[in-house]
Amino acid sequence: MIRLRNVSKYYYSKGIIASGISKVNLDLDVGEFVVITGESGSGKSTLLNVISGLDTYEEGEMYIEGHETSHYAASDFEAYRRKYISCIFQSFNLINSYTVYQNVALAMQIDGCEHSVIKSRVRELLGKVGLSEFENRKVSKLSGGQKQRVAIARALARDTKILVADEPTGNLDSESAEGIVELLTEIAADRLVVVVTHNFEQFKDRATRVIKMHDGKIVEDTYTGRHLHASAASSQEHAADDEPKRRHMSYAAQLGLGIRNTFNLPAKFLLLLLVFLFVTSSVSAQYVSVKKQRDTVSEQGTNFYFSNYDPKRIVIERSDHQPFTRADYEAIEKAPHVDKLVRNDMIYDSSVYFDSDDLPFNGYISDVKCMSRKPDLGRMPEADNEIVLEGADDGWMLGENPEAVIGKTYKMSTDGSSDAEYEVVVAGIIKDRDKSSEDSSDSEGFYATSGVGTAYLPDALISKIRTDMYAAAGTTTLVVDGNEEEVVPGEGGLVVNSNVPEGYILLPTSYDSMFDKGYAAGNLTKLSSKTLYYGESLELMIMGTYGEKTFTKKTGLKDLSEHNGEIYINETDFRRLYEKGSYQASVFVDDTRNINGMKDMLERGGFEVLVLRDHIYNFIDTALIDIIQLPMAVLVSIAVFFIAYFVIRLILKSRGVYFATVRMLGMDRPSVQRIMRIELMLESMIAYAVFLLFIYLSRIRVIHSDQLSDYIKYLSPRDYVILAGILLVMALLISGRFMRSIFKSSAMGAYREEA
């Protein structure tokens, strides 16, 4: 079975070479019960390790069933141990975090045995060694003698041709030792059993051969003349096949061990969890920092057409260029990720101001529906001319005494409706105490002008302002007897007058000369208005002309010098010309990450879309962020990776003995590596799940953290997938590196180093 020819084994330590065994010649065969004795340091254990393939040899040749092994690599010896060898170790080499059952079952799992076979066989062996009642007890809680019996049961669980045992009865009382010797004798009838012992007396009546060693050499090799007979059970077990068929360890068993190893050492589990959490949070923090800096820089620019270029704002109009309908508004407001909808977008970028010493307010127009909260002073608007002002409580914007402003009537002007003024009553005030006149943004997200507030207006007033804006922003032309001229709505131009009937127009006397008869009355004119959004024309009858003598009678006004050249129409006709619906609206998303999705949805819904975030002129080029901050973030992430790598390596040193042990039991490198990978990958994904849990708790406001809020804002689903991939790659790299250290030497060498 085994033949050694001039085999020598040397040990190297700190430049010193020591001989373990020297020029050993030995033949061993199935059916022998060989006992090796000798004093400590005589080379007994070294010879046993060489025979079992746990250690390599430097000289000579060892044959296994006639095959040379001097050329064997570590993987070849693993295959040899798996096929031929069962070991009982002097130091037990048990997995302390496993139960008695799990330790014995491990040997059979390595051989690819089915679960039902493992279950019955393990319980049978535990009965033979007297440990049935300790099946579910952790090995770490057993006595030395009990651990020895677990090690023996584990060795017997593997149905191999060779069983080697190093001091198998060293920790047992005489009665237990006798039972173990009898058990080894029984199985030696159809196997090769090699036992190293200091206590030859326990084996002298059973051994078929006694080998005595001294100073690394065999000094005696005696056959006792005793013959062994296989038991009926053992004979039946091996009758079908002298060489039991073995399968590779199943993937299910590898997965089970990987999962078990993840949780069976709480301290190790928690330490690895903390390290992976550190990696997850640190790497994501660097990524978020870069994205946040980019956003901050991108918001420091300006837009020459829109005063409010909030990055969450999307300006829309209908593709058919018709006014928005109520159904349009309702559909948009019900869409996901819509924070608010500004229906009258045309006036949203216009500012208002008050010509009053006690109210130096200036700000933007918004709808009362968009108010952030109820007024701090006063009440909500009730009448069509009542408004609410929101501004900084700095003693300037809302006046020195804001309470005195409540209920007072003011003339309000806008920068988009020419010279129009509106009498309004301040019904309420919202004080923004977190904002001073030096701030660069307000509650509505305006980014261009500092020290601005917001005037919340009712629908009727907004509609009136919008009408005046259409009049001021469009081009109005008057065609009289084929002659076209441009007129300007407002004082000195086109003016509403209640004395003019609907469908008529009143002109100055200068228009009489355009007609052959010398008077304009009774002729038709055409009044047209063209804006960015629409075109409208009216045919009006000239009711007459006015001069100095007839001005007051026809217009109801007193001083012609203040109104000279004005053209008058009825208010109804004015509204027909300028009072149109809203052609432009703004959608504000709840998060900038949803901008692109909202843009696509609106375009599919039949709207033309302008994302203001993409049309901001930046004072600082965001490419500078990529040039400066991005490399720094990458370097920090790499540093985090290496710090975590070395910490994990230190933690895994506690696992080195485990993996060296399973290797000694015959587990091949691919299986060992898969178990290691499963353990680290599962640990990393648990840490990742904890990270996601914290983000979720922050999202639902259970915990409050600015850092977690940034994660929610800046990490996209794609980023989360990439982060998970980084953790998995890291786990794979570390497991691969660790396995190289476990398999760089012989099984026994790796065990000594890790131990």
Side-chain angles (χ1 to χ4, degrees):
M1 189 70 195
I2 296 178
R3 174 174 292 178
L4 281 69
R5 290 294 178 262
N6 296 317
V7 171
S8 298
K9 169 67 183 174
Y10 301 102
Y11 295 106
Y12 304 89
S13 178
K14 299 179 181 179
I16 300 174
I17 300 176
S19 175
I21 56 176
S22 178
K23 304 295 182 181
V24 171
N25 290 278
L26 185 63
D27 292 335
L28 300 170
D29 209 348
V30 171
E32 289 189 301
F33 189 163
V34 182
V35 177
I36 302 176
T37 64
E39 68 274 13
S40 296
S42 61
K44 305 185 302 298
S45 295
T46 301
L47 176 60
L48 203 66
N49 291 337
V50 170
I51 290 172
S52 60
L54 292 171
D55 235 340
T56 57
Y57 56 94
E58 282 70 46
E59 288 183 350
E61 185 66 76
M62 181 172 77
Y63 300 89
I64 307 297
E65 291 188 325
H67 299 290
E68 296 179 352
T69 62
S70 56
H71 64 281
Y72 272 17
S75 58
D76 297 313
F77 277 114
E78 288 158 19
Y80 160 63
R81 286 196 304 279
R82 183 170 172 274
K83 180 178 180 181
Y84 290 100
I85 304 295
S86 296
C87 293
I88 302 173
F89 302 98
Q90 183 177 5
S91 55
F92 315 137
N93 291 12
L94 299 172
I95 312 299
N96 286 327
S97 58
Y98 284 12
T99 64
V100 170
Y101 178 93
Q102 290 169 344
N103 267 275
V104 179
L106 178 62
M108 300 184 69
Q109 288 176 318
I110 292 172
D111 281 345
C113 296
E114 295 180 359
H115 177 72
S116 57
V117 176
I118 293 174
K119 188 174 182 179
S120 60
R121 178 65 172 160
V122 170
R123 287 179 174 167
E124 175 191 343
L125 290 171
L126 292 179
K128 286 185 177 181
V129 297
L131 291 176
S132 295
E133 59 184 294
F134 299 97
E135 177 180 323
N136 295 314
R137 182 171 296 185
K138 287 283 184 71
V139 165
S140 58
K141 300 187 180 299
L142 299 180
S143 66
Q146 290 169 328
K147 290 180 179 180
Q148 184 75 299
R149 283 184 276 171
V150 175
I152 292 169
R154 183 181 63 185
L156 297 178
R158 302 197 65 234
D159 190 13
T160 57
K161 290 184 176 182
I162 304 170
L163 187 148
V164 297
D166 196 352
E167 301 288 355
T169 59
N171 293 281
L172 303 177
D173 57 65
S174 57
E175 183 178 349
S176 298
E178 177 61 28
I180 296 304
V181 171
E182 184 176 344
L183 188 57
L184 293 175
T185 305
E186 178 183 330
I187 66 171
D190 44 28
R191 304 187 196 188
L192 168 60
V193 175
V194 183
V195 175
V196 166
T197 183
H198 282 96
N199 193 349
F200 175 66
E201 293 299 318
Q202 291 178 329
F203 295 90
K204 68 178 182 178
D205 296 331
R206 306 298 180 94
T208 64
R209 186 175 176 184
V210 180
I211 295 174
K212 186 174 183 180
M213 298 193 69
H214 176 72
D215 200 19
K217 297 180 180 180
I218 295 177
V219 294
E220 290 184 22
D221 186 355
T222 306
Y223 288 88
T224 63
R226 190 171 291 105
H227 297 283
L228 301 175
H229 301 282
S231 66
S234 179
S235 298
Q236 184 177 359
E237 187 175 335
H238 291 280
D241 193 347
D242 290 337
E243 185 176 322
K245 293 181 180 179
R246 302 186 186 282
R247 296 179 298 176
H248 287 287
M249 187 177 186
S250 68
Y251 292 121
Q254 294 170 24
L255 178 62
L257 287 178
I259 295 173
R260 180 193 300 168
N261 294 343
T262 302
F263 302 102
N264 66 347
L265 294 173
K268 181 267 301 179
F269 170 77
L270 291 175
L271 284 173
L272 285 177
L273 183 67
L274 290 174
V275 173
F276 278 115
L277 274 174
F278 167 71
V279 173
T280 306
S281 58
S282 298
V283 172
S284 55
Q286 291 301 314
Y287 179 74
V288 165
S289 175
V290 172
K291 295 190 74 173
K292 185 177 181 180
Q293 189 65 29
R294 282 176 178 170
D295 273 9
T296 302
V297 168
S298 68
E299 292 170 5
Q300 302 307 309
T302 187
N303 183 288
F304 298 107
Y305 297 97
F306 296 90
S307 300
N308 176 356
Y309 40 88
D310 189 321
K312 297 179 181 179
R313 182 182 178 188
I314 303 175
V315 181
I316 61 172
E317 63 177 38
R318 287 174 49 138
S319 299
D320 58 6
H321 306 294
Q322 295 300 307
F324 282 89
T325 65
R326 180 178 296 179
D328 292 332
Y329 291 138
E330 291 176 351
I332 294 170
E333 287 176 328
K334 291 178 181 178
H337 306 300
V338 173
D339 183 42
K340 66 179 179 180
L341 172 67
V342 176
R343 301 187 179 196
N344 295 284
D345 180 83
M346 182 181 179
I347 68 171
Y348 196 56
D349 294 280
S350 299
S351 59
V352 297
Y353 50 91
F354 296 82
D355 186 15
S356 173
D357 292 337
D358 66 337
L359 186 60
F361 180 91
N362 71 91
Y364 294 96
I365 301 174
S366 187
D367 195 305
V368 290
K369 301 183 186 69
C370 296
M371 286 176 56
S372 58
R373 63 177 188 269
K374 291 183 178 180
D376 300 314
L377 301 174
R379 55 175 173 77
M380 292 290 289
E382 295 175 358
D384 288 345
N385 67 334
E386 292 184 338
I387 67 172
V388 171
L389 301 179
E390 178 179 4
D393 185 21
D394 56 3
W396 179 80
M397 182 178 291
L398 299 173
E400 294 181 359
N401 185 13
E403 289 84 353
V405 173
I406 302 298
K408 290 186 66 174
T409 301
Y410 295 91
K411 286 186 177 181
M412 182 182 76
S413 302
T414 74
D415 60 4
S417 56
S418 188
D419 298 326
E421 289 185 335
Y422 310 92
E423 283 197 350
V424 297
V425 176
V426 179
I429 285 178
I430 298 175
K431 293 182 177 181
D432 194 340
R433 299 178 182 85
D434 298 328
K435 175 177 61 179
S436 71
S437 59
E438 313 299 324
D439 288 338
S440 60
S441 64
D442 71 351
S443 62
E444 285 295 312
F446 295 92
Y447 291 80
T449 307
S450 62
V452 297
T454 306
Y456 296 102
L457 313 182
D459 288 340
L461 187 54
I462 286 178
S463 178
K464 182 171 177 55
I465 293 174
R466 184 180 66 213
T467 298
D468 292 338
M469 284 185 174
Y470 281 143
T475 300
T476 303
T477 58
L478 177 65
V479 179
V480 179
D481 196 28
N483 297 307
E484 181 177 301
E485 64 175 298
E486 184 175 335
V487 295
V488 178
E491 291 183 9
L494 184 64
V495 181
V496 171
N497 191 290
S498 59
N499 286 359
V500 179
E502 182 180 350
Y504 287 85
I505 186 169
L506 178 62
L507 302 172
T509 55
S510 57
Y511 285 89
D512 286 332
S513 60
M514 293 183 179
F515 297 91
D516 294 337
K517 295 180 180 181
Y519 59 89
N523 291 289
L524 290 175
T525 63
K526 184 176 181 181
L527 189 62
S528 302
S529 175
K530 184 174 179 59
T531 70
L532 178 67
Y533 305 107
Y534 70 89
E536 185 67 72
S537 296
L538 299 176
E539 278 199 346
L540 301 174
M541 178 73 71
I542 301 174
M543 65 174 287
T545 58
Y546 65 85
E548 186 175 353
K549 295 181 179 180
T550 60
F551 175 73
T552 300
K553 179 180 179 182
K554 291 185 177 182
T555 65
L557 304 173
K558 295 188 183 287
D559 191 350
L560 174 62
S561 62
E562 293 182 3
H563 303 280
N564 193 29
E566 290 182 342
I567 298 171
Y568 300 100
I569 62 174
N570 185 269
E571 183 178 3
T572 302
D573 292 326
F574 190 90
R575 288 181 177 178
R576 287 169 58 195
L577 200 60
Y578 300 114
E579 190 173 278
K580 302 296 181 182
S582 179
Y583 289 82
Q584 183 174 297
S586 276
V587 177
F588 286 79
V589 296
D590 55 3
D591 196 305
T592 53
R593 293 175 299 176
N594 299 317
I595 283 280
N596 292 331
M598 180 63 68
K599 177 178 180 291
D600 293 341
M601 185 192 72
L602 290 169
E603 287 176 342
R604 290 194 302 270
F607 298 99
E608 292 184 1
V609 176
L610 179 71
V611 178
L612 291 192
R613 186 180 66 174
D614 300 335
H615 297 277
I616 297 175
Y617 173 75
N618 299 112
F619 302 113
I620 302 174
D621 193 343
T622 54
L624 291 175
I625 303 298
D626 296 334
I627 295 172
I628 298 173
Q629 190 170 1
L630 186 58
M632 290 297 297
V634 171
L635 288 175
V636 171
S637 298
I638 292 173
V640 167
F641 174 84
F642 278 104
I643 291 171
Y645 171 78
F646 287 113
V647 172
I648 291 174
R649 285 270 297 163
L650 288 174
I651 297 172
L652 290 180
K653 289 296 288 182
S654 65
R655 307 293 294 139
V657 171
Y658 170 85
F659 288 108
T661 299
V662 295
R663 182 184 172 191
M664 293 167 71
L665 294 177
M667 189 181 294
D668 57 17
R669 180 168 181 165
S671 298
V672 175
Q673 189 153 338
R674 284 190 201 102
I675 293 172
M676 176 84 262
R677 284 175 177 171
I678 291 168
E679 185 175 344
L680 281 183
M681 289 170 68
L682 182 57
E683 187 88 49
S684 68
M685 288 300 98
I686 292 173
Y688 185 63
V690 172
F691 173 74
L692 294 182
L693 176 62
F694 275 104
I695 290 179
Y696 174 74
L697 292 176
S698 177
R699 184 184 291 275
I700 62 175
R701 308 298 183 187
V702 173
I703 58 178
H704 302 278
S705 166
D706 292 339
Q707 184 68 49
L708 290 175
S709 297
D710 286 341
Y711 290 152
I712 294 170
K713 180 176 181 181
Y714 291 104
L715 292 179
S716 66
R718 175 175 171 271
D719 297 329
Y720 285 112
V721 172
I722 291 174
L723 184 58
I726 289 173
L727 291 176
L728 290 174
V729 169
M730 182 178 178
L732 291 173
L733 290 175
I734 293 175
S735 64
R737 180 70 178 174
F738 187 68
M739 283 301 105
R740 283 194 289 274
S741 68
I742 295 294
F743 284 86
K744 69 181 180 181
S745 60
S746 66
M748 184 55 69
Y751 180 80
R752 290 194 196 98
E753 181 177 339
E754 298 302 326

